[in-house]
């Protein structure tokens, strides 16, 4: 398959007239200053974006909780009520629409932080990974790479048994969790990672049992209350606790990483860990602004995710690293456009290190953005990270397959209708 790009953002910068040859899901050659040939992609072609942190079912809360007063903890009660309504069939249908929305918004891979494991009340499904398999099928049908970050969630808080809703999240022990996860089989577009829900949900003596996957994600210091509870129980910050138990490694990705001490930042950097920021969700929940620049300067790899899917737009999450840090620091120019693009396209965060670059040998994932919309008209191509939105995505290729053409999803007809129908049904059930 041959693609010709009017502009393409290559590892060395933006080039014109770039011919990309694709075979077997890989890029086989990249040639700038080439004559038109094959499928013409007008605009700017970028590496596909990576969604480092998603809870697909939270999409059903969009527009239903944003106006409410309260805290993260009161919002969580609404989220738990939604979680109790889902089964493998309803989760498949909802997630299929959500993943289609992600592709339309510029994402070509997603890390799904998955803890809806069992039936309401905590009994195993006849197929113990029925909920995870529903997500696999949803992602396959929507045409996006999926890493199932199967999440260990054992407690309702430090020293607290899971409540009625949380029992469906728990396998009872880290060893039972690992046994269930071991039966998941990977395929071309599906990989398996691990997650520790939080230091609140996994006892300290079981943290190291989870730290065996190729990648391990954790909600870390998202809320001040989490830090206070951890200090009260262990005399340590959550980051220090992970370090004490050998879980702070270069395979760890700290999600949110909002309320960190200077020592926490140093420890994460020394370990060469990652940090996944989810700015639109962090704004929605009033979490705060994390120390993105300080973490990057310490050696932490940055990535972004849509988390609650209150917004699904790869450009909005990516530029928010810069814009939110401006608010916190009262300085402009905290990140270069190249640094932002690197964070937004870091697929290694979710276990796809071969993806995220337009170069020979890389996985053939790329996204073409219009440069002639009302948002992007007249910009320099390098300004697309700040100017564009998901609505400007015109063409998406995932593993060498055209999933979006001319802004239309090729695998699911009218994803917006699918989403509306499933969300309405969930709330009426």
């Amino acid at each position: 398959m041959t693609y010709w790009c009017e502009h393409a953002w290559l590892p060395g910068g933006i080039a014109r007239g770039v011919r990309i040859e694709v075979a077997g899901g890989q890029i086989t050659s990249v040639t700038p200053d080439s004559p038109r040939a094959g499928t013409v992609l007008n605009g700017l072609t970028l590496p596909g974006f990576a969604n480092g942190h998603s809870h697909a079912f939270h999409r059903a809360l969009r527009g239903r909780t944003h106006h409410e007063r309260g805290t993260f903890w009161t919002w969580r009660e609404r989220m738990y009520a939604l979680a109790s309504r889902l089964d493998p069939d309803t989760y498949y249908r909802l997630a299929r629409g959500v993943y289609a929305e992600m592709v339309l918004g510029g994402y070509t891979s997603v890390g799904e932080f998955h803890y809806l494991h069992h039936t309401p009340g905590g009994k195993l499904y006849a197929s113990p990974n029925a909920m995870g398999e529903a997500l696999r099928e949803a992602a396959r049908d929507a045409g996006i790479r999926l890493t199932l970050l199967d999440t260990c969630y054992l407690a309702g808080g430090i020293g607290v048994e899971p409540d009625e809703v949380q029992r469906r999240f728990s396998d009872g022990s880290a060893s039972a969790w690992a046994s269930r996860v071991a039966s998941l089989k990977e395929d071309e577009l599906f990989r398996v990672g691990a997650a520790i829900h939080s230091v609140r949900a996994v006892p300290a003596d079981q943290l190291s049992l989870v730290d065996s996957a190729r990648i391990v994600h954790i909600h870390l210091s998202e809320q001040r209350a989490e830090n206070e509870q951890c200090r009260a129980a262990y005399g340590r910050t959550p980051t220090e606790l992970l370090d004490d138990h050998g879980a702070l490694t270069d395979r760890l990705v700290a999600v949110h990483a909002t309320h960190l001490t200077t020592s926490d930042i140093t420890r994460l950097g020394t370990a060469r860990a990652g940090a996944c920021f989810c700015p639109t969700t962090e704004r929605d929940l009033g979490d705060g602004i994390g120390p993105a620049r300080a973490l990057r300067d310490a050696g932490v790899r940055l990535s972004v995710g849509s988390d609650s899917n209150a917004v699904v737009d790869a450009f909005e999450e990516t530029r928010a690293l810069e814009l939110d840090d401006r608010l916190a620091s009262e300085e402009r120019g905290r990140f270069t456009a190249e640094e932002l693009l690197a964070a937004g396209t870091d697929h290694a965060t979710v276990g796809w290190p071969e993806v995220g670059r337009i170069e020979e040998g890389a996985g053939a994932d790329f996204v073409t953005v219009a440069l002639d919309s009302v948002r992007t008209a007249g910009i320099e191509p390098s300004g697309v990270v700040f100017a564009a939105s998901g609505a400007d995505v015109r063409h998406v290729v995932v593993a060498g397959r055209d999933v979006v053409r001319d802004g239309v999803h090729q695998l699911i007809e009218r994803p917006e209708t699918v989403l509306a129908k499933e969300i309405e049904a969930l709330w009426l059930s």
Side-chain angles (χ1 to χ4, degrees):
M1 186 73 179
T2 300
Y3 297 89
W4 182 88
C5 309
E6 181 183 15
H7 304 273
W9 202 322
L10 308 181
I14 296 174
R16 297 176 63 91
V18 178
R19 187 178 70 244
I20 302 173
E21 299 286 351
V22 173
Q26 286 191 321
I27 296 172
T28 57
S29 69
V30 178
T31 310
D33 300 318
S34 297
R36 291 187 179 222
T39 300
V40 173
L41 301 179
N42 289 315
L44 174 63
T45 298
L46 306 158
F49 286 83
N51 188 343
H53 185 71
S54 165
H55 300 288
F57 76 97
H58 290 189
R59 171 63 177 83
L61 295 168
R62 184 189 295 177
R64 297 172 182 266
T65 61
H66 305 313
H67 61 288
E68 297 174 344
R69 290 184 179 272
T71 66
F72 166 86
W73 308 101
T74 55
W75 169 87
R76 190 177 73 163
E77 294 306 311
R78 293 289 303 276
M79 182 268 286
Y80 279 179
L82 172 63
S84 68
R85 297 168 181 257
L86 290 161
D87 60 31
D89 289 337
T90 57
Y91 204 11
Y92 160 76
R93 293 194 298 268
L94 174 62
R96 185 175 65 131
V98 176
Y99 293 150
E101 183 182 9
M102 288 181 190
V103 178
L104 287 164
Y107 294 113
T108 64
S109 75
V110 56
E112 183 66 32
F113 201 98
H114 169 60
Y115 54 79
L116 296 184
H117 301 311
H118 310 304
T119 68
K123 291 184 179 180
L124 270 67
Y125 285 102
S127 174
N129 285 304
M131 293 293 272
E133 292 294 344
L135 291 168
R136 179 210 297 262
E137 295 303 309
R140 182 200 64 189
D141 290 351
I144 194 170
R145 297 178 191 265
L146 172 68
T147 298
L148 191 72
L149 297 166
D150 200 289
T151 303
C152 188
Y153 193 133
L154 305 176
I158 298 174
V160 179
E161 290 296 314
D163 64 21
E164 183 177 355
V165 174
Q166 293 165 335
R167 280 196 288 273
R168 80 176 302 188
F169 308 160
S170 177
D171 289 289
S173 69
S175 59
W177 163 84
S179 177
R180 178 181 53 74
V181 174
S183 66
L184 288 163
K185 304 302 181 186
E186 298 185 340
D187 60 40
E188 180 187 6
L189 294 179
F190 177 75
R191 290 181 181 173
V192 180
I196 299 164
H197 179 272
S198 60
V199 298
R200 291 180 291 105
V202 177
D205 62 359
Q206 299 198 56
L207 289 171
S208 61
L209 296 176
V210 184
D211 186 39
S212 58
R214 64 160 67 90
I215 49 172
V216 181
H217 288 219
I218 180 173
H219 292 131
L220 187 73
S221 292
E222 179 181 5
Q223 298 290 323
R224 295 186 190 277
E226 174 189 325
N227 289 357
E228 293 164 1
Q229 292 165 12
C230 190
R231 285 186 182 276
Y234 302 114
R236 314 288 282 157
T237 69
T239 300
E240 291 168 341
L241 188 69
L242 292 176
D243 205 1
D244 290 347
H245 289 270
L248 190 57
T249 71
D250 61 1
R251 291 179 290 111
L252 186 82
V253 177
V255 180
H256 302 301
T258 306
H259 302 289
L260 302 177
T261 67
T262 301
S263 174
D264 291 340
I265 294 170
T266 299
R267 286 172 185 258
L268 287 161
T270 299
R272 292 297 184 261
C276 182
F277 280 54
C278 306
T280 62
T281 292
E282 290 151 6
R283 293 174 198 164
D284 179 47
L285 297 179
D287 286 345
I289 300 172
R293 185 70 255 178
L295 284 164
R296 182 67 186 85
D297 289 344
V300 174
R301 309 181 320 274
L302 296 182
S303 57
V304 295
S306 65
D307 193 358
S308 71
N309 298 300
V311 174
V312 174
D313 187 324
F315 294 95
E316 180 64 21
E317 302 292 352
T318 300
R319 62 174 159 260
L321 283 179
E322 165 70 18
L323 299 180
D324 286 3
D325 215 65
R326 288 183 186 185
L327 290 174
S329 67
E330 301 181 44
E331 294 180 358
R332 303 182 79 226
R334 303 291 287 171
F335 293 91
T336 67
E338 289 76 15
E339 286 177 315
L340 293 176
L341 185 66
T345 60
D346 183 5
H347 296 260
T349 295
V350 287
W352 301 93
E354 70 273 32
V355 182
R357 304 168 306 282
I358 298 177
E359 65 180 12
E360 183 179 342
D365 286 25
F366 42 90
V367 173
T368 302
V369 185
L371 295 179
D372 58 359
S373 76
V374 293
R375 289 163 294 276
T376 60
I379 71 169
E380 295 179 351
S382 61
V384 73
V385 175
F386 288 96
S389 78
D392 298 313
V393 172
R394 308 312 304 155
H395 204 99
V396 179
V397 175
V398 182
R401 181 188 192 186
D402 290 355
V403 181
V404 175
R405 295 178 191 158
D406 297 322
V408 177
H409 201 286
Q410 299 300 293
L411 309 181
I412 299 176
E413 185 176 359
R414 298 186 64 82
E416 67 276 14
T417 303
V418 172
L419 280 167
K421 176 182 177 181
E422 296 308 323
I423 291 170
E424 191 69 22
L426 276 171
W427 286 112
L428 290 175
S429 63

